Amino acid sequence: MIFVTTPSIVLEHLKNLSPILSTNKANPLLEGFLFEIKDELLQITAYSEDLRVQTAIHVNLASEEKNNFSSGFVINGKKIIEILQSLPEQPLSFMLLPDEMSIKLKTAQGEYKISVFDGDQYPAMSPDTEFLGTFNINSEILKTGLERTTYAASDDIELRPNLCGVYCQFMENESIFVATDTHRLIEYTRSDSRPETNVSFILPKKNIPVISKIIDKYDDAVEINFAKGYILAKIAEYTIFSKLAAGEFPRYKDIMPKNYDKTLIVDRNAIISSIRRVKVFSTLENNKILLEINGSDLKISAVNEEYNESAIEHLTCTYEGNKFSIAFNANGLIEQLQNLSGDEVIFEMTEPNKAAVIKPAQENPGEKTISLLMPILSY
């Protein structure tokens, strides 16, 4: 069998799937893509233990010979991407040679024979089980929700697997995305979403970059089918199978501050820039900076006693409350502020040893963001 396509079309899809491939030399099957021909569709699958993605490309069949790779063939991912990247745009023929367990790529300039594996040993796309339900969500809402929150998820897969992902809640009239590593928390809500369902799950942090990259390319709605332990999402020509993080997400609403007596409003970009400069003079151990607020003056400072170095900057702010000081890890505060929108941010605080609520002063209609950041207890 021979089918014809172009290098750029195949390469675009392979690059979207390539982060999934294993680097474990013990199983070369998982270092490769599964190619299957179904009528005039080339289906390409990439597999890992927790994430599997399949896409489809229309191709032209140049031969009516029987496809003896009935279960498809597996081709080394690194090798096929390297070849396609070096080819100029032109017709590209794939000739299947099952008797030799290989394929031959042919262009106007040359031909390239590559060994392959039979696809019958490649893992299945998804378990054979019934779904508990299905709903649709706008791709922009899903992508934004994941982008705004993923950074705050934990990386401690051994001790906190239930925090190593984004907690997604889809309800009749809104969608909520939450992540925390116990030192920081962010909740992003979209009330302009209408999933018309009632389901929640934890999407693993390590799967989110691949999922976000795919859905970013389309304006279509994402169809999400959910079952116990995994979801199956569909958008355009992509089908995405993702396992879900184990355990239950904590009752984070219980730790959200209910009352506060100090409110600070400051320009978001100005405070980020100031912290970046001042933190150069903090100790490497914890990058500690101190915020001191008195009336309309916000003082940002850092001290490195070991080298007798220090820095102080002042910003104009709007503040309600008594004179107040609170210390943060500079890198953590910058990351929190970078993942908020708008020109100004609001800090709501109570005590120097309690979490501060940080949120945008203005947001787009239908959006609501609340973040928490724990302070450093001593300075």
Side-chain angles (χ1 to χ4, degrees):
M1 171 179 277
I2 301 173
F3 62 89
V4 182
T5 180
T6 60
S8 62
I9 292 176
V10 180
L11 184 60
E12 178 186 358
H13 289 261
L14 295 186
K15 283 185 173 180
N16 289 336
L17 273 57
S18 61
I20 304 171
L21 298 183
S22 171
T23 56
N24 183 0
K25 302 293 184 181
N27 190 347
L29 276 175
L30 301 187
E31 294 181 289
F33 299 104
L34 173 65
F35 280 40
E36 298 174 277
I37 293 293
K38 304 287 180 70
D39 296 323
E40 292 190 344
L41 280 180
L42 168 61
Q43 292 183 343
I44 305 174
T45 305
Y47 172 95
S48 71
E49 184 179 354
D50 299 317
L51 181 65
R52 306 164 209 178
V53 180
Q54 184 178 87
T55 186
I57 302 170
H58 285 279
V59 296
N60 296 318
L61 297 181
S63 167
E64 297 298 328
E65 295 178 19
K66 181 181 177 182
N67 177 12
N68 290 323
F69 280 120
S70 57
S71 300
F73 59 88
V74 181
I75 187 168
N76 181 272
K78 182 179 179 181
K79 186 173 294 184
I80 185 64
I81 287 176
E82 189 172 348
I83 293 170
L84 294 177
Q85 284 178 327
S86 63
L87 289 174
E89 189 66 358
Q90 60 185 307
L92 173 66
S93 298
F94 284 71
M95 180 182 293
L96 310 190
L97 305 170
D99 293 339
E100 303 177 34
M101 290 305 295
S102 63
I103 65 166
K104 186 179 289 185
L105 305 182
K106 297 186 70 174
T107 68
Q109 290 83 21
E111 55 184 52
Y112 318 89
K113 188 176 179 182
I114 308 172
S115 61
V116 297
F117 297 96
D118 197 300
D120 59 0
Q121 298 300 313
Y122 204 78
M125 178 63 187
S126 63
D128 184 15
T129 186
E130 292 186 6
F131 295 111
L132 300 176
T134 300
F135 65 94
N136 293 322
I137 182 170
N138 179 277
S139 59
E140 181 274 327
I141 291 176
L142 180 59
K143 175 178 176 290
T144 304
L146 296 176
E147 283 185 343
R148 294 281 183 89
T149 55
T150 302
Y151 78 95
S154 174
D155 293 312
D156 191 352
I157 193 67
E158 296 296 329
L159 297 179
R160 297 189 176 99
N162 60 324
L163 300 185
C164 296
V166 174
Y167 180 54
C168 305
Q169 296 176 278
F170 300 103
M171 292 166 281
E172 184 175 351
N173 295 317
E174 64 181 7
S175 300
I176 303 175
F177 304 85
V178 189
T180 182
D181 61 3
T182 72
H183 298 291
R184 57 189 176 181
L185 180 147
I186 185 163
E187 177 192 65
Y188 177 75
T189 302
R190 288 293 290 263
S191 59
D192 56 347
S193 170
R194 296 289 186 270
E196 297 182 354
T197 187
N198 189 6
V199 63
S200 61
F201 49 77
I202 306 170
L203 195 59
K205 181 178 182 177
K206 62 182 179 180
N207 294 354
I208 290 174
V210 173
I211 295 172
S212 294
K213 184 178 181 181
I214 291 172
I215 63 178
D216 184 42
K217 297 177 179 294
Y218 303 97
D219 296 326
D220 311 37
V222 182
E223 176 188 306
I224 298 180
N225 306 273
F226 56 92
K228 186 176 181 180
Y230 73 92
I231 60 167
L232 193 69
K234 297 179 180 180
I235 182 169
E237 64 266 28
Y238 285 89
T239 300
I240 304 166
F241 165 83
S242 175
K243 285 188 177 179
L244 301 176
E248 293 186 6
F249 202 76
R251 297 176 58 179
Y252 70 95
K253 292 283 190 183
D254 294 345
I255 65 170
M256 302 282 275
K258 304 296 189 297
N259 301 299
Y260 52 89
D261 56 3
K262 301 170 184 69
T263 303
L264 164 70
I265 303 176
V266 66
D267 183 275
R268 186 171 67 92
N269 289 325
I271 190 173
I272 289 174
S273 297
S274 183
I275 294 170
R276 280 189 174 136
R277 291 187 292 269
V278 171
K279 81 182 185 75
V280 174
F281 300 87
S282 64
T283 58
L284 294 177
E285 179 184 355
N286 53 22
N287 288 121
K288 191 183 302 180
I289 60 162
L290 182 67
L291 305 186
E292 298 176 81
I293 316 131
N294 187 11
S296 61
D297 179 63
L298 169 60
K299 177 182 173 183
I300 304 172
S301 62
V303 175
N304 188 325
E305 294 181 352
E306 181 179 357
Y307 294 98
N308 193 27
E309 295 178 340
S310 63
I312 296 174
E313 287 200 14
H314 292 267
L315 294 176
T316 300
C317 65
T318 301
Y319 179 64
E320 293 183 7
N322 298 327
K323 184 178 179 180
F324 183 66
S325 300
I326 189 168
F328 292 105
N329 175 283
N331 294 329
L333 182 53
I334 288 173
E335 191 170 31
Q336 203 86 343
L337 293 168
Q338 285 178 326
N339 282 278
L340 299 178
S341 60
D343 295 331
E344 294 183 316
V345 288
I346 300 173
F347 288 70
E348 296 172 345
M349 301 161 288
T350 55
E351 302 292 339
N353 61 346
K354 293 185 178 179
V357 173
I358 310 173
K359 59 187 182 182
Q362 309 89 20
E363 293 192 86
N364 295 324
E367 286 186 318
K368 182 181 179 182
T369 308
I370 299 177
S371 71
L372 271 67
L373 184 63
M374 290 297 297
I376 294 177
L377 300 184
S378 61
Y379 191 79

